[in-house]
Amino acid sequence: MNMTLGDVSARRASVRRRPSTRRRRAVLALAILASLLAAGCAVGPDFRKPAAPAVDGYTAQPPAPTVGSANVPGGEAQHFSPGGDLPADWWTLFHSAALNALVEQSLHSNPDLEAAQAALAVARENTLAGKGSKFPAVTVGMSASRQQDPPGALAPVPSNNAFLYNLFTPQVSVSYAPDVFGLNRRNVESLQAQEQAVRFQTIATQVTLTANVVVAAIQQASLQAQVDATRRMIDANTRMLGILHYQSAKGYAGRLDVAAQESQLAQVTATLPPLLRQLAQQHDQLAVLTGQFPSQLPDGKLPLSSLHLPQDLPLSLPSTLVAQRPDVRQAEANMHAASAQVGVAIANRLPNISLTGNAGSTALAMGQLFKTGTGFWNLGADLAAPVFQGGTLRHQERAAKAAYAQASAQYRSTVLTAFQNVADTLAALEHDAEALKTAANAADAAKVTLDLSQRQWKDGYAAYLSVLSAEQAYQQTQIDLVQAQANRYVDTAALYQALGGGWWHDGDIAHAASTRDADEK
């Protein structure tokens, strides 16, 4: 066969183009295979939000307005607004600047809240790290070595037959595991659900913190009022004992009367140390809640009379409570994460495919790395299927399904507890109002008795001992009245907490939660 010089040149050009053409075709085929594999379905159950409980109310009978007590701080009647909404800063409804300052201080300085926020940042970063599995992994490497082959080697590595040489090899490696059965997608889904669980745990921490600060401040005010009343009772009993000692010395009173009064004074005095201990502990707790050392919190008093009792109380519909309570939302997210883990366990029992590619250059000198003839590349695909694992994968799948059943039961338990909290608080508010009315009536009657005793003593118709006895009884009713007032304030705060705390009206928190919900969908 006769070939011209042009034919030979064309033949050589065709030979040179063939590797490049084959390379492009291989890359194209690999890309098509990767796209087809990536379009695979995700095994395992698709999570569905639990339906809202099919109940119409929290109690057997709709809550009625509470009874009112006239001319008593905190004695106003309270009305419930079914379907009413909660403000995010519900504690401001007590109309106390001092209380507002304590809550704001806690939101900025409480270490438990800071720890919860840091945990949320950890969960968020773990989710973003998990999303990296959607993309190919690219690694750039450079190796350099100096090597000497034995003189008797049959085939030295370099083409120049040198036995002592340097070898430089830069290369780029690409690996990708197509998500054929949704293993990576279920992993990311689980991480997103775990992040959502931590998010609602953080919200629950904030709601609980604000409620605890309000309750601690109210209890501190109540204890201070009880301490003041107890000290007045001790003073009255001390004066009574002094009079009896005088009368005993003059022969107007017997030793039995003196001993009885001494016993009475000792009993009243014994009630003061426990109150002072509780007051100090309440002060220390309030300091820690606001992120301060006990020595740093000033002893500023917050009298109960400075608080305003909210009269119009919102009462969320039962169907919306499960969307408002952060602990319920956290339990739902835990159930979602467990559902995704079932898919992960199933996918682990199915074949895995991995695609790899390497490209680089190797030369005996740095200056020759990118010259013609030094490049190399390779493409590969691996298929691995578990055949025998001693039952490990099968039992891991069963364990994942059992974990989902556990999370589902825990969710139902959390919902029941949420409804119980609301029902208990509604009952407490009703009975608190009745108890306050009874305590107010007892205080009014004791005040009338004290006024009459003082008037009779001034007119000479009664002994001073009867006045002191009436004053002691009156101070005891004041203690009961203060406790009843504090219970109304505390249980009102408990209702706002039981209904979710209004976090959905906090712009930053609500936006973050809604954004994550949209991502999961």
Side-chain angles (χ1 to χ4, degrees), residues 42-45 181-187 190 337-352 386 389 391-404:
V43 297
F181 300 107
L183 173 63
N184 295 335
R185 276 170 285 175
R186 292 302 189 193
N187 263 322
S190 177
S339 172
Q341 285 298 318
V342 174
V344 171
I346 295 175
N348 282 331
R349 302 184 64 183
L350 300 176
N352 292 321
Q389 301 290 335
T392 299
L393 299 180
R394 180 177 69 255
H395 290 296
Q396 287 178 345
E397 179 183 344
R398 293 178 181 176
K401 292 179 179 179
Y404 174 75

Side-chain angles (χ1 to χ4, degrees), residues 147 149 155-167 363-365 368:
Q147 182 172 340
D149 294 331
V157 174
S159 59
N160 60 3
N161 294 326
F163 292 98
L164 179 65
Y165 54 90
N166 299 323
L167 187 63
L364 300 177
Q368 300 175 354

Side-chain angles (χ1 to χ4, degrees), residues 154-213:
L154 297 178
V157 174
S159 59
N160 60 3
N161 294 326
F163 292 98
L164 179 65
Y165 54 90
N166 299 323
L167 187 63
F168 302 93
T169 307
Q171 67 176 351
V172 177
S173 301
V174 180
S175 62
Y176 178 63
D179 200 13
V180 183
F181 300 107
L183 173 63
N184 295 335
R185 276 170 285 175
R186 292 302 189 193
N187 263 322
V188 172
E189 180 184 353
S190 177
L191 289 172
Q192 288 177 331
Q194 293 174 43
E195 177 189 348
Q196 192 74 321
V198 177
R199 185 182 309 280
F200 283 108
Q201 183 179 15
T202 303
I203 295 174
T205 300
Q206 178 171 324
V207 172
T208 302
L209 173 63
T210 55
N212 286 343
V213 171

Side-chain angles (χ1 to χ4, degrees), residues 31-246:
I32 294 175
L33 176 62
S35 62
L36 291 175
L37 294 175
C41 62
V43 297
D46 292 328
F47 179 72
R48 294 183 179 181
K49 292 175 65 69
V55 293
D56 298 329
Y58 301 100
T59 55
Q61 300 296 330
T66 62
V67 298
S69 303
N71 302 322
V72 178
E76 297 83 3
Q78 292 179 310
H79 304 268
F80 300 97
S81 301
D85 204 1
L86 285 72
D89 55 349
W90 54 267
W91 55 88
T92 60
L93 300 177
F94 290 96
H95 296 174
S96 171
L99 181 61
N100 296 343
L102 289 172
V103 173
E104 293 301 323
Q105 173 73 17
S106 69
L107 292 176
H108 287 90
S109 304
N110 182 267
D112 292 334
L113 183 57
E114 293 177 1
Q117 293 168 346
L120 177 58
V122 172
R124 184 185 305 114
E125 295 303 325
N126 286 336
T127 300
L128 295 176
K131 289 183 177 180
S133 62
K134 297 180 180 179
F135 306 97
V138 181
T139 304
V140 177
M142 172 68 184
S143 65
S145 64
R146 183 169 177 79
Q147 182 172 340
Q148 180 173 359
D149 294 331
L154 297 178
V157 174
S159 59
N160 60 3
N161 294 326
F163 292 98
L164 179 65
Y165 54 90
N166 299 323
L167 187 63
F168 302 93
T169 307
Q171 67 176 351
V172 177
S173 301
V174 180
S175 62
Y176 178 63
D179 200 13
V180 183
F181 300 107
L183 173 63
N184 295 335
R185 276 170 285 175
R186 292 302 189 193
N187 263 322
V188 172
E189 180 184 353
S190 177
L191 289 172
Q192 288 177 331
Q194 293 174 43
E195 177 189 348
Q196 192 74 321
V198 177
R199 185 182 309 280
F200 283 108
Q201 183 179 15
T202 303
I203 295 174
T205 300
Q206 178 171 324
V207 172
T208 302
L209 173 63
T210 55
N212 286 343
V213 171
V214 172
V215 170
I218 294 172
Q219 294 288 12
Q220 184 181 27
S222 172
L223 288 169
Q224 184 61 60
Q226 294 177 54
V227 167
D228 295 340
T230 301
R231 283 174 171 163
R232 289 191 293 267
M233 289 176 59
I234 293 174
D235 181 66
N237 278 274
T238 302
R239 285 181 289 162
M240 291 175 64
L241 181 59
I243 293 174
L244 286 173
H245 275 301
Y246 176 80

